[in-house]
Amino acid sequence: MSKLNLVLFGPPGAGKGTQSAFLIQKYGLVHLSTGDILRAEKDAGTELGLMAQEIMGRGDLVSDDIVISMIRNKIEAHLDAKGFIFDGFPRTKAQAEALDGMLSAKNEPIVVMLALEVPEEELVKRLLGRGAVSGRADDQNESVIRNRIHKYETETAPLKDYYGAQGKFKGINGVGGVEEITARLVAAIG
Ligand code: ADP
């Protein structure tokens, strides 16, 4: 059976993590969040984590080489997965091309990119709200949040065209109740 490999896409604060939790349950998928992996490295105090910490604290992107090799290791560690949800990856064209290379070598391509769409002012509000309870430093400073959104617009949003050219892009309204948005995603997966 072919694997259900999904890219869950969208700006910081779009709800990718929240929605991933439902989708992994429903479809039995493995969740790969580069942000979660980087934060785990930081908490473990590894060299990689300490280096990434500074970059994440500014709201800049960690280098392509680092995140690509993290994802490669995770894919190799879950060869029996029914599929993956890629959350927060790919974030650049180089990352998308590397991911295509890894998956096509296995004949298990990305099936669809689900792009959650949320207006900027709503994102800033959500992220500041999350920062107030989660302790995530990059969610507590409005200029860091705006930098992340800016990086998303310039480096990451163009990937909609990359997947669009493969006929795999689906835009999803990311404003509304959590369950309502889940239903939109499930309908788009089909
Ligand atoms: P958010 O989507 O809210 O910004 P993430 O947890 O996805 O949160 O990412 C947090 C930070 O981790 C990013 O601002 C960036 O510094 C780093 N990061 C995560 N994924 C990537 C990636 N694919 N490429 C480069 N940097 C990344």
Side-chain angles (χ1 to χ4, degrees):
M1 212 185 75
S2 63
K3 299 203 178 188
L4 185 59
N5 287 327
L6 309 175
V7 173
L8 191 55
F9 195 78
K16 302 184 294 291
T18 305
Q19 293 299 330
S20 289
F22 287 95
L23 298 177
I24 57 174
Q25 284 270 343
K26 181 167 171 68
Y27 298 102
L29 305 176
V30 172
H31 182 214
L32 293 187
S33 157
T34 40
D36 285 353
I37 300 168
L38 289 166
R39 279 185 290 277
E41 294 280 340
K42 188 193 81 179
D43 292 345
T46 66
E47 202 178 322
L48 165 64
L50 295 176
M51 199 187 61
Q53 178 173 16
E54 226 179 276
I55 300 167
M56 294 166 80
R58 291 195 299 268
D60 290 336
L61 294 183
V62 174
S63 82
D64 288 333
D65 289 351
I66 289 177
V67 292
I68 289 167
S69 71
M70 283 176 0
I71 287 287
R72 181 174 287 115
N73 291 339
K74 292 287 179 186
I75 290 175
E76 294 302 328
H78 295 277
L79 293 176
D80 55 347
K82 288 188 192 164
F84 294 102
I85 294 190
F86 296 95
D87 164 358
F89 180 94
R91 258 175 157 94
T92 63
K93 186 146 179 269
Q95 293 178 19
E97 287 169 348
L99 181 62
D100 271 355
M102 290 178 230
L103 296 179
S104 63
K106 298 186 183 305
N107 235 332
E108 293 161 2
I110 292 296
V111 174
V112 66
M113 171 209 245
L114 302 163
L116 291 168
E117 293 167 343
V118 178
E120 174 160 349
E121 291 318 306
E122 169 77 10
L123 296 172
V124 174
K125 204 173 76 186
R126 288 186 190 179
L127 290 168
L128 286 170
R130 183 168 81 184
V133 292
S134 75
R136 243 181 87 168
D138 62 344
D139 285 343
Q140 294 179 28
N141 177 316
E142 186 167 335
S143 69
V144 171
I145 289 174
R146 299 243 181 226
N147 185 38
R148 283 155 61 202
I149 295 172
H150 174 71
K151 287 274 152 32
Y152 171 81
E153 293 298 345
T154 54
E155 313 247 350
T156 306
L159 295 182
K160 293 180 197 174
D161 292 336
Y162 179 90
Y163 286 96
Q166 299 183 13
K168 294 176 178 175
F169 168 80
K170 287 194 185 171
I172 308 288
N173 177 4
V175 180
V178 171
E179 288 170 21
E180 202 179 342
I181 297 164
T182 308
R184 290 177 195 146
L185 290 165
V186 169
I189 292 168

mmCIF file of all heavy atoms in Angstrom, residues 37-59:
data_model
loop_
_atom_site.group_PDB
_atom_site.id
_atom_site.type_symbol
_atom_site.label_atom_id
_atom_site.label_comp_id
_atom_site.label_asym_id
_atom_site.label_seq_id
_atom_site.Cartn_x
_atom_site.Cartn_y
_atom_site.Cartn_z
ATOM 1 N N ILE A 37 12.112 18.705 17.047
ATOM 2 C CA ILE A 37 13.398 17.984 17.115
ATOM 3 C C ILE A 37 14.494 18.945 17.591
ATOM 4 O O ILE A 37 15.307 18.609 18.461
ATOM 5 C CB ILE A 37 13.767 17.365 15.745
ATOM 6 C CG1 ILE A 37 12.693 16.367 15.278
ATOM 7 C CG2 ILE A 37 15.123 16.660 15.820
ATOM 8 C CD1 ILE A 37 12.835 15.938 13.806
ATOM 9 N N LEU A 38 14.486 20.164 17.038
ATOM 10 C CA LEU A 38 15.506 21.148 17.441
ATOM 11 C C LEU A 38 15.366 21.520 18.912
ATOM 12 O O LEU A 38 16.361 21.647 19.634
ATOM 13 C CB LEU A 38 15.403 22.398 16.558
ATOM 14 C CG LEU A 38 15.866 22.220 15.105
ATOM 15 C CD1 LEU A 38 15.395 23.391 14.241
ATOM 16 C CD2 LEU A 38 17.388 22.087 15.040
ATOM 17 N N ARG A 39 14.113 21.679 19.383
ATOM 18 C CA ARG A 39 13.921 22.010 20.813
ATOM 19 C C ARG A 39 14.366 20.852 21.702
ATOM 20 O O ARG A 39 14.923 21.072 22.780
ATOM 21 C CB ARG A 39 12.455 22.391 21.083
ATOM 22 C CG ARG A 39 12.138 23.848 20.698
ATOM 23 C CD ARG A 39 10.726 24.246 21.089
ATOM 24 N NE ARG A 39 9.728 23.574 20.262
ATOM 25 C CZ ARG A 39 9.350 23.998 19.046
ATOM 26 N NH1 ARG A 39 9.866 25.096 18.537
ATOM 27 N NH2 ARG A 39 8.455 23.327 18.345
ATOM 28 N N ALA A 40 14.153 19.605 21.253
ATOM 29 C CA ALA A 40 14.607 18.446 22.045
ATOM 30 C C ALA A 40 16.129 18.425 22.117
ATOM 31 O O ALA A 40 16.707 18.113 23.171
ATOM 32 C CB ALA A 40 14.074 17.144 21.426
ATOM 33 N N GLU A 41 16.789 18.783 21.028
ATOM 34 C CA GLU A 41 18.265 18.852 21.019
ATOM 35 C C GLU A 41 18.746 19.926 22.005
ATOM 36 O O GLU A 41 19.724 19.745 22.716
ATOM 37 C CB GLU A 41 18.781 19.187 19.614
ATOM 38 C CG GLU A 41 18.528 18.108 18.572
ATOM 39 C CD GLU A 41 19.535 16.962 18.650
ATOM 40 O OE1 GLU A 41 20.629 17.154 19.218
ATOM 41 O OE2 GLU A 41 19.220 15.876 18.136
ATOM 42 N N LYS A 42 18.034 21.044 21.990
ATOM 43 C CA LYS A 42 18.393 22.147 22.886
ATOM 44 C C LYS A 42 18.237 21.708 24.351
ATOM 45 O O LYS A 42 19.134 21.902 25.170
ATOM 46 C CB LYS A 42 17.489 23.353 22.598
ATOM 47 C CG LYS A 42 17.874 24.612 23.321
ATOM 48 C CD LYS A 42 16.772 25.661 23.249
ATOM 49 C CE LYS A 42 15.719 25.363 24.297
ATOM 50 N NZ LYS A 42 14.622 26.334 24.335
ATOM 51 N N ASP A 43 17.093 21.069 24.651
ATOM 52 C CA ASP A 43 16.840 20.634 26.030
ATOM 53 C C ASP A 43 17.862 19.598 26.475
ATOM 54 O O ASP A 43 18.217 19.518 27.655
ATOM 55 C CB ASP A 43 15.423 20.061 26.164
ATOM 56 C CG ASP A 43 14.363 21.147 26.000
ATOM 57 O OD1 ASP A 43 14.725 22.348 26.068
ATOM 58 O OD2 ASP A 43 13.184 20.795 25.774
ATOM 59 N N ALA A 44 18.330 18.764 25.528
ATOM 60 C CA ALA A 44 19.323 17.738 25.865
ATOM 61 C C ALA A 44 20.720 18.341 25.960
ATOM 62 O O ALA A 44 21.672 17.658 26.339
ATOM 63 C CB ALA A 44 19.284 16.612 24.822
ATOM 64 N N GLY A 45 20.848 19.611 25.555
ATOM 65 C CA GLY A 45 22.139 20.286 25.664
ATOM 66 C C GLY A 45 23.175 19.806 24.672
ATOM 67 O O GLY A 45 24.374 19.937 24.913
ATOM 68 N N THR A 46 22.744 19.257 23.539
ATOM 69 C CA THR A 46 23.718 18.804 22.534
ATOM 70 C C THR A 46 24.339 20.021 21.842
ATOM 71 O O THR A 46 23.799 21.128 21.893
ATOM 72 C CB THR A 46 23.057 17.926 21.455
ATOM 73 O OG1 THR A 46 22.139 18.742 20.717
ATOM 74 C CG2 THR A 46 22.303 16.751 22.060
ATOM 75 N N GLU A 47 25.455 19.763 21.160
ATOM 76 C CA GLU A 47 26.147 20.830 20.449
ATOM 77 C C GLU A 47 25.216 21.442 19.396
ATOM 78 O O GLU A 47 25.118 22.659 19.257
ATOM 79 C CB GLU A 47 27.385 20.241 19.784
ATOM 80 C CG GLU A 47 28.453 21.259 19.474
ATOM 81 C CD GLU A 47 29.677 20.584 18.861
ATOM 82 O OE1 GLU A 47 30.019 19.467 19.312
ATOM 83 O OE2 GLU A 47 30.240 21.162 17.925
ATOM 84 N N LEU A 48 24.532 20.572 18.668
ATOM 85 C CA LEU A 48 23.578 21.025 17.649
ATOM 86 C C LEU A 48 22.493 21.892 18.290
ATOM 87 O O LEU A 48 22.139 22.952 17.776
ATOM 88 C CB LEU A 48 22.956 19.796 16.965
ATOM 89 C CG LEU A 48 21.696 20.024 16.139
ATOM 90 C CD1 LEU A 48 22.003 20.933 14.953
ATOM 91 C CD2 LEU A 48 21.120 18.703 15.662
ATOM 92 N N GLY A 49 21.976 21.431 19.426
ATOM 93 C CA GLY A 49 20.907 22.163 20.104
ATOM 94 C C GLY A 49 21.355 23.547 20.550
ATOM 95 O O GLY A 49 20.603 24.522 20.426
ATOM 96 N N LEU A 50 22.573 23.623 21.053
ATOM 97 C CA LEU A 50 23.065 24.917 21.547
ATOM 98 C C LEU A 50 23.265 25.892 20.394
ATOM 99 O O LEU A 50 22.972 27.083 20.501
ATOM 100 C CB LEU A 50 24.373 24.724 22.325
ATOM 101 C CG LEU A 50 24.192 23.906 23.616
ATOM 102 C CD1 LEU A 50 25.535 23.675 24.299
ATOM 103 C CD2 LEU A 50 23.214 24.578 24.572
ATOM 104 N N MET A 51 23.716 25.345 19.253
ATOM 105 C CA MET A 51 23.917 26.202 18.092
ATOM 106 C C MET A 51 22.567 26.682 17.545
ATOM 107 O O MET A 51 22.388 27.848 17.208
ATOM 108 C CB MET A 51 24.657 25.408 17.026
ATOM 109 C CG MET A 51 25.301 26.262 15.995
ATOM 110 S SD MET A 51 25.940 25.210 14.714
ATOM 111 C CE MET A 51 24.440 24.438 14.165
ATOM 112 N N ALA A 52 21.621 25.760 17.482
ATOM 113 C CA ALA A 52 20.304 26.095 16.938
ATOM 114 C C ALA A 52 19.573 27.092 17.834
ATOM 115 O O ALA A 52 18.818 27.935 17.347
ATOM 116 C CB ALA A 52 19.478 24.823 16.766
ATOM 117 N N GLN A 53 19.817 26.995 19.126
ATOM 118 C CA GLN A 53 19.111 27.830 20.106
ATOM 119 C C GLN A 53 19.228 29.325 19.762
ATOM 120 O O GLN A 53 18.252 30.067 19.813
ATOM 121 C CB GLN A 53 19.719 27.572 21.475
ATOM 122 C CG GLN A 53 19.103 28.409 22.579
ATOM 123 C CD GLN A 53 19.636 27.991 23.953
ATOM 124 O OE1 GLN A 53 20.643 27.306 24.059
ATOM 125 N NE2 GLN A 53 18.930 28.398 24.989
ATOM 126 N N GLU A 54 20.451 29.713 19.412
ATOM 127 C CA GLU A 54 20.696 31.124 19.107
ATOM 128 C C GLU A 54 19.916 31.559 17.862
ATOM 129 O O GLU A 54 19.293 32.622 17.838
ATOM 130 C CB GLU A 54 22.178 31.295 18.836
ATOM 131 C CG GLU A 54 22.798 32.475 19.531
ATOM 132 C CD GLU A 54 24.271 32.540 19.212
ATOM 133 O OE1 GLU A 54 25.060 31.839 19.884
ATOM 134 O OE2 GLU A 54 24.605 33.267 18.265
ATOM 135 N N ILE A 55 19.973 30.709 16.841
ATOM 136 C CA ILE A 55 19.302 31.019 15.574
ATOM 137 C C ILE A 55 17.788 31.076 15.783
ATOM 138 O O ILE A 55 17.112 32.000 15.326
ATOM 139 C CB ILE A 55 19.664 29.943 14.520
ATOM 140 C CG1 ILE A 55 21.178 29.933 14.292
ATOM 141 C CG2 ILE A 55 18.898 30.163 13.220
ATOM 142 C CD1 ILE A 55 21.685 28.735 13.519
ATOM 143 N N MET A 56 17.259 30.093 16.515
ATOM 144 C CA MET A 56 15.814 30.053 16.772
ATOM 145 C C MET A 56 15.394 31.262 17.615
ATOM 146 O O MET A 56 14.317 31.811 17.417
ATOM 147 C CB MET A 56 15.440 28.753 17.489
ATOM 148 C CG MET A 56 15.651 27.526 16.627
ATOM 149 S SD MET A 56 15.590 25.995 17.580
ATOM 150 C CE MET A 56 13.832 25.749 17.754
ATOM 151 N N GLY A 57 16.249 31.665 18.520
ATOM 152 C CA GLY A 57 15.947 32.801 19.394
ATOM 153 C C GLY A 57 15.783 34.099 18.614
ATOM 154 O O GLY A 57 15.047 34.983 19.032
ATOM 155 N N ARG A 58 16.473 34.181 17.482
ATOM 156 C CA ARG A 58 16.338 35.372 16.634
ATOM 157 C C ARG A 58 15.162 35.243 15.670
ATOM 158 O O ARG A 58 14.774 36.201 15.020
ATOM 159 C CB ARG A 58 17.600 35.557 15.773
ATOM 160 C CG ARG A 58 18.845 35.955 16.523
ATOM 161 C CD ARG A 58 19.902 36.474 15.535
ATOM 162 N NE ARG A 58 20.312 35.486 14.549
ATOM 163 C CZ ARG A 58 21.342 34.654 14.685
ATOM 164 N NH1 ARG A 58 22.082 34.687 15.779
ATOM 165 N NH2 ARG A 58 21.644 33.794 13.742
ATOM 166 N N GLY A 59 14.670 34.021 15.521
ATOM 167 C CA GLY A 59 13.595 33.797 14.549
ATOM 168 C C GLY A 59 14.122 33.563 13.147
ATOM 169 O O GLY A 59 13.373 33.646 12.175
#
